[in-house]
Amino acid sequence: MEKHELKVQKIKEGTVIDHIPAGHALSVLKILGITGREGFIVTIACNVPSKKYGKKDIVKIEGKELKVEEVNKIALIAPTATINIIKNYNVVEKYKISVPKEIVNILKCTNPSCITRSEREPITSKFKVISEKPVRLRCVFCNNILELEDIEKQVSEKY
Amino acid sequence: MRLKGRDVIEITDLTRDEIEYIFELANKMEKFAKSKCSLLKDKILALLFFEPSTRTKLSFEAAMLRLGGNVIGFSEPSTSSIAKGESLADTIRVVENYCDGIVIRHPLEGAAKLAAELSNVPVINAGSGALSHPTQALLDLYTIYREKGRIDGLNIALVGDLKYGRTVHSLAYALTYYDVNIYFVSPPELRMRREVIEDLTKANVRFKEYFEFKDDVLSNLDVLYVTRIQKERFPDPAEYQKVKNSYKITLDLLKKCKHDVVIMHPLPRVDEMDYQIDSMPNAKYFIQTYYGLLVRMALLYAILGDAPL
Ligand SMILES: [Zn+2]
């Protein structure tokens, strides 16, 4: 049994997000829109020893099965994460997250003269993923490229 | 080939075959370019210029009128409801009810794309932001094709402001469809944008960047595409003076080129070329505007016309 299992108890039903890069668990929750006020039990473990990555974060969400599209949004900051769907204390489904083809409404275009930056317009930002490792995005409207560092900066400022 | 109802936002929205279909149509438009026809009779084109550009607007207007159609619109946001704070989105949703097609010019990047997403009538981008100006790219390509008889196999230099000049960006993308050698010649401050360089590399286009004219490049050129270097781009006026002269096209410089090098310019120009060049057979920048009329007539007819020509 791995060491972290002693710190974070097994859950009966829900979702475990494992192998989150250390220190990013809170950002992951925020991207998923989980505030802690929803009522279900959320357990967060940060800087847990990991054989593969040295240190990692883990998030356990009880009573909520996250949908794939929902979870893939976290690929922006936690591309190494794995998802375990738990039913009756057993892992019934396990998968690595994958970067979605499009990122809608999460990030802001860094080009100040992009139409998506105009407050007057009823428009949501939209980016095409042009590379996954590292993640690079291209604004659908102005073609401006967001590099990983732009993405990380925005996510850490926003979340 | 069917282009009816299509939006043209980026030059890459068209395939090479579609571009060449438009060229064929443009050739056919020559007989209508000096007198009116009724190919687009009863059609209304809205010209929405959120940023002034007299030349482009006149060209679209003339193209539509020569085809027997009608135009509505505005030339500056200050004369429209935009000045009162109306969004682009609302303007589009109102104007689409009055017309069969929309031509839009806007200072913000992606504005034409947004307009196309909202509009039920086709949208043609007449320049938005610093990167896209597809109809200019079409007319530039058409000029090369008319003057050289081909585009494949040519050596083409893009000179001047390669950072802010939207025509050079669209033209560079248009050239990715062809087997050409491109030379970018600019001051280091105004070199070709990284995202364009990246896309050209991905498309396996052969290009090189230069910060000055090299004799061996000049002697190879088939096309010299010159753009204006704007004073406002330089914080230091002295720096501008220095830079301006090193990219000027002079008679001496032309002596180093092939005798039949084609000189193009998207206009307006200031003093980036010696005026004596105007009378040389190499100067194609005025006929370029005529080709622009033909290309815009062709594009409008392809998008709004009811039957193939
Ligand atoms: Zn953008």
Side-chain angles (χ1 to χ4, degrees):
Chain A
M1 176 157 285
E2 279 185 61
K3 226 176 170 182
H4 67 262
E5 293 292 351
L6 302 173
K7 295 190 179 106
V8 185
Q9 282 188 352
K10 279 196 163 192
I11 62 173
K12 188 175 178 222
E13 313 271 340
T15 309
V16 176
I17 308 172
D18 200 354
H19 302 109
I20 300 168
H24 286 78
L26 293 170
S27 303
V28 163
L29 282 175
K30 282 183 178 157
I31 287 185
L32 292 173
I34 294 170
T35 61
R37 292 186 290 273
E38 290 83 0
F40 42 77
I41 301 172
V42 178
T43 318
I44 302 161
C46 292
N47 300 312
V48 175
S50 153
K51 269 189 218 121
K52 206 165 169 190
Y53 301 105
K55 276 180 190 175
K56 65 176 180 180
D57 286 4
I58 305 169
V59 168
K60 298 193 177 192
I61 304 158
E62 280 186 56
K64 188 174 164 73
E65 192 179 315
L66 292 174
K67 292 193 183 68
V68 179
E69 318 85 73
E70 220 172 341
V71 169
N72 282 346
K73 289 200 276 188
I74 69 171
L76 288 178
I77 55 154
T80 53
T82 51
I83 309 297
N84 301 279
I85 305 295
I86 315 288
K87 284 200 174 131
N88 207 12
Y89 298 107
N90 287 318
V91 177
V92 293
E93 207 185 331
K94 187 175 183 135
Y95 55 89
K96 274 189 144 47
I97 59 160
S98 54
V99 182
K101 286 195 170 62
E102 256 188 7
I103 306 289
V104 180
N105 216 3
I106 298 177
L107 299 166
K108 192 169 83 172
C109 184
T110 53
N111 172 6
S113 53
C114 176
I115 187 77
T116 61
R117 297 281 299 268
S118 169
E119 280 162 18
R120 215 147 64 172
E121 306 302 333
I123 186 174
T124 49
S125 72
K126 205 190 284 176
F127 296 90
K128 274 214 157 62
V129 176
I130 50 171
S131 131
E132 295 192 7
K133 276 177 190 168
V135 178
R136 298 180 80 225
L137 309 174
R138 184 165 209 151
C139 175
V140 166
F141 290 92
C142 77
N143 288 322
N144 176 41
I145 292 171
L146 258 60
E147 303 287 352
L148 183 63
E149 55 202 279
D150 300 316
I151 299 165
E152 279 179 341
K153 194 167 160 244
Q154 281 195 39
V155 169
S156 66
E157 274 169 10
K158 196 170 162 191
Y159 300 110
Chain B
M1 190 79 55
R2 205 75 183 127
L3 286 173
K4 187 158 166 78
R6 274 273 283 278
D7 300 316
V8 178
I9 305 306
E10 312 273 354
I11 186 67
T12 45
D13 290 344
L14 298 167
T15 65
R16 175 169 168 163
D17 283 350
E18 286 167 342
I19 289 173
E20 284 167 6
Y21 167 71
I22 292 167
F23 290 176
E24 271 172 46
L25 271 183
N27 292 340
K28 291 182 189 165
M29 288 300 165
E30 207 146 15
K31 61 176 177 285
F32 306 121
K34 300 277 178 196
S35 65
K36 212 166 160 176
C37 66
S38 52
L39 287 170
L40 290 184
K41 189 174 165 278
D42 300 331
K43 302 277 185 192
I44 297 177
L45 182 67
L47 301 169
L48 310 184
F49 277 58
F50 294 87
E51 171 188 80
S53 172
T54 316
R55 215 160 283 92
T56 306
K57 183 164 181 284
L58 287 176
S59 175
F60 270 108
E61 231 173 292
M64 191 62 183
L65 295 177
R66 288 292 195 207
L67 290 165
N70 307 289
V71 292
I72 55 172
F74 53 84
S75 334
E76 281 185 69
S78 62
T79 61
S80 70
S81 50
I82 315 310
K84 296 176 199 136
E86 187 178 68
S87 68
L88 167 64
D90 283 7
T91 306
I92 296 298
R93 289 186 281 219
V94 169
V95 171
E96 66 167 347
N97 300 303
Y98 305 149
C99 63
D100 302 289
I102 292 174
V103 171
I104 180 176
R105 171 95 163 197
H106 199 286
L108 293 180
E109 278 159 50
K113 173 98 186 161
L114 172 64
E117 282 196 357
L118 295 168
S119 170
N120 290 311
V121 299
V123 173
I124 298 174
N125 181 4
S128 65
L131 285 176
S132 26
H133 197 351
T135 61
Q136 178 74 39
L138 275 179
L139 80 87
D140 290 338
L141 276 189
Y142 184 64
T143 303
I144 298 172
Y145 156 76
R146 285 289 298 255
E147 292 299 327
K148 286 288 174 192
R150 65 193 166 109
I151 298 169
D152 283 323
L154 297 182
N155 295 309
I156 300 170
L158 274 50
V159 181
D161 181 354
L162 306 183
K163 186 174 181 185
Y164 300 100
R166 48 163 81 104
T167 66
V168 287
H169 301 132
S170 276
L171 179 56
Y173 281 112
L175 288 171
T176 61
Y177 289 134
Y178 294 87
D179 179 27
V180 292
N181 290 304
I182 311 178
Y183 304 89
F184 295 125
V185 186
S186 72
E189 302 88 326
L190 299 178
R191 67 197 286 188
M192 185 48 90
R193 290 193 178 215
R194 294 304 92 189
E195 61 260 46
V196 180
I197 292 286
E198 201 174 294
D199 290 335
L200 295 183
T201 309
K202 235 181 274 164
N204 291 318
V205 176
R206 288 185 304 275
F207 67 88
K208 273 190 180 150
E209 288 187 277
Y210 295 88
F211 299 133
E212 61 186 333
F213 285 113
K214 297 266 191 226
D215 288 358
D216 58 326
V217 171
L218 288 170
S219 63
N220 253 324
L221 292 181
D222 300 296
V223 176
L224 192 52
Y225 189 95
V226 188
T227 63
R228 179 164 55 121
I229 293 177
Q230 284 170 287
K231 213 184 297 181
E232 309 86 85
R233 305 294 184 206
F234 292 85
D236 178 3
E239 189 62 25
Y240 164 73
Q241 288 304 330
K242 202 171 80 196
V243 155
K244 178 185 90 171
N245 288 326
S246 32
Y247 300 93
K248 190 167 174 152
I249 311 300
T250 61
L251 289 173
D252 279 342
L253 185 125
L254 282 188
K255 281 184 192 136
K256 296 174 181 167
C257 298
K258 290 186 196 170
H259 73 281
D260 61 349
V261 65
V262 162
I263 305 167
M264 295 166 60
H265 194 299
L267 303 177
R269 60 173 171 167
V270 187
D271 53 2
E272 53 272 29
M273 289 185 289
D274 278 348
Y275 279 101
Q276 296 101 302
I277 294 173
D278 293 359
S279 55
M280 293 172 67
N282 310 72
K284 300 298 181 191
Y285 27 92
F286 295 115
I287 194 159
Q288 198 177 342
T289 60
Y290 169 65
Y291 292 145
L293 176 72
L294 299 182
V295 160
R296 290 189 172 113
M297 286 173 75
L299 186 66
L300 289 174
Y301 186 70
I303 291 173
L304 304 177
D306 291 319
L309 197 62

